[in-house]
Amino acid sequence: MKSKVIIALILILILIQFLPIERTNPPINPALDLMQTAVLSASEVSLLRAACMDCHSHETEYPAYTRFQPVGWFLRSHIRGGRQKVNFSEWGNYTTEKKNHKLEECIEVIEEKRMPMKSYTWLHPKAKLSAKQKTELISLFDRLKT
Ligand code: HEC
């Protein structure tokens, strides 16, 4: 009985490999892209890239392990969910009011340690923010408010 369950699980694991995720990004319109329209220091750019951009932009980097399911599926759901909430590549589509609101939320999620997601920093140690880096990102989001 036990061995049948194990064989079934292995079969499922093999079968789901045939349902890969698309490891591509939608195009970026430079006129809408925060990274190209805002004045950012090099260190701000690298912080955003290290901690937020994989899920909140069209600049997602797909590590090799995303070829394996269900890991890829988890990642895809985070990317979809993240882009839906805040998309720095489509920043210019937001109204001023919405931008300010999103920036306020960005500050909150960092202060409340909700972002970057724990499951992400576990696999991307560079995304783990030091107190100094948090302060830098928070003051960046604060500065971008209009
Ligand atoms: C691994 C992917 C991932 C990373 C990295 C990530 N986020 Fe998110 N983010 C999400 C997902 C998924 C959601 C929507 C679900 C949720 O609210 O938990 C979200 C939601 C948000 C929201 C909306 C919160 C709300 O209350 O609705 C903000 C703001 C945000 N993220 C900012 C950031 C910032 C700033 C960073 C970098 C410091 C970051 N995120 C890094 C995946 C990510």
Side-chain angles (χ1 to χ4, degrees), residues 31-118:
L32 301 178
D33 186 14
L34 177 86
M35 304 301 270
Q36 300 184 57
T37 51
V39 181
L40 305 170
S41 72
S43 111
E44 287 167 347
V45 169
S46 67
L47 267 181
L48 281 174
R49 284 203 202 290
C52 314
M53 299 293 279
D54 269 345
C55 303
H56 290 289
S57 78
H58 297 171
E59 295 186 57
T60 308
E61 282 180 21
Y62 296 86
Y65 56 75
T66 58
R67 291 181 191 279
F68 298 101
Q69 311 320 325
V71 182
W73 295 345
F74 281 120
L75 205 104
R76 180 176 57 188
S77 79
H78 289 159
I79 296 166
R80 282 187 182 156
R83 283 179 183 163
Q84 214 165 21
K85 290 276 179 180
V86 181
N87 190 335
F88 293 121
S89 301
E90 294 189 336
W91 191 247
N93 279 337
Y94 299 155
T95 61
T96 306
E97 199 188 350
K98 193 166 177 183
K99 281 179 190 155
N100 287 338
H101 180 66
K102 296 283 171 195
L103 289 165
E104 198 48 57
E105 281 187 338
C106 283
I107 294 172
E108 269 170 36
V109 293
I110 293 176
E111 280 173 346
E112 291 165 7
K113 301 193 183 103
R114 282 163 52 210
M115 293 284 150
M117 298 174 72
K118 286 231 167 61

